[in-house]
Amino acid sequence: KQEVTQIPAALSVPEGENLVLNCSFTDSAIYNLQWFRQDPGKGLTSLLLIQSSQREQTSGRLNASLDKSSGRSTLYIAASQPGDSATYLCAVSGNTPLVFGKGTRLSVIA
Amino acid sequence: DARVTQTPRHKVTEMGQEVTMRCQPILGHNTVFWYRQTMMQGLELLAYFRNRAPLDDSGMPKDRFSAEMPDATLATLKIQPSEPRDSAVYFCASGWEGTYEQYFGPGTRLTVT
């Protein structure tokens, strides 16, 4: 059974810092990996999707990498801003549509 | 601006009552997913449909939960009878088979007292 773990569970950084969020999964037989953002009381917004054949994807200040063989992904956020404060969830798709980690709650302090 | 819509956004009910949550997927999407989110368990897949047919509902407690798609524009999740442990946020998501991307609705926050 696929399990997804995200470390740390919470992170607080000063504005302007570059930061890395980590995601690991137990079964490397995945189709893709997605990073989502969730604001309090809201639904999930897809940030980046990496296909299993890809190594990374970039969107603006966000860069996500995938190392399928080791079961790891990282989400890199450059020059963090208070507006980046949210919970970031990692999810993998394989034999089941999506299995989610429990997320990293990020606070960017102005 | 195509979005997944869910109703109601909030629901408070007493234990034993029936609860029905509705979802309108994005027009043209042929896969629909129901998730439940709690602090303890995180996001869990309850059921999903493709072309209105249920593909997997193994995440649902079968004795009290049921999910249906009466037509391509409506998905429902019903709990009967509801219990306090069902208190959670229930999300619906839709997508197009083959793209693996899912678009989430805003959720229904259910409180069972």
Side-chain angles (χ1 to χ4, degrees), chain A residues 1-21:
Chain A
K1 179 185 170 186
Q2 178 73 271
E3 292 183 4
V4 179
T5 304
Q6 291 186 247
I7 295 173
L11 180 64
S12 183
V13 300
E15 181 178 6
E17 265 202 16
N18 303 325
L19 59 101
V20 174
L21 307 181

Side-chain angles (χ1 to χ4, degrees), chain A residues 68-84:
Chain A
K68 203 173 80 159
S69 60
S70 69
R72 296 185 182 191
S73 175
T74 60
L75 178 66
Y76 175 83
I77 302 177
S80 58
Q81 303 170 357
D84 295 330

Side-chain angles (χ1 to χ4, degrees), chain A residues 31-32 34 36 38 41-46 49 51 89 93 95-98 100-102 105, chain B residues 9 33 35 37 39-43 45 48 56 91 99-107 109:
Chain A
Y31 298 143
N32 62 66
Q34 294 185 57
F36 292 85
Q38 185 175 27
K42 300 289 177 70
L44 279 69
T45 301
S46 180
L49 183 150
Q51 302 289 0
L89 295 104
S93 171
N95 290 327
T96 56
L98 275 179
F100 283 84
K102 292 189 177 179
R105 190 171 65 255
Chain B
R9 293 293 313 279
F33 307 83
Y35 294 89
Q37 186 176 41
M39 289 291 291
M40 291 298 294
Q41 301 297 328
L43 262 170
L45 178 66
Y48 74 102
D56 186 354
F91 287 104
T99 67
Y100 304 113
E101 286 190 83
Q102 296 185 22
Y103 295 81
F104 280 72
R109 181 175 296 277

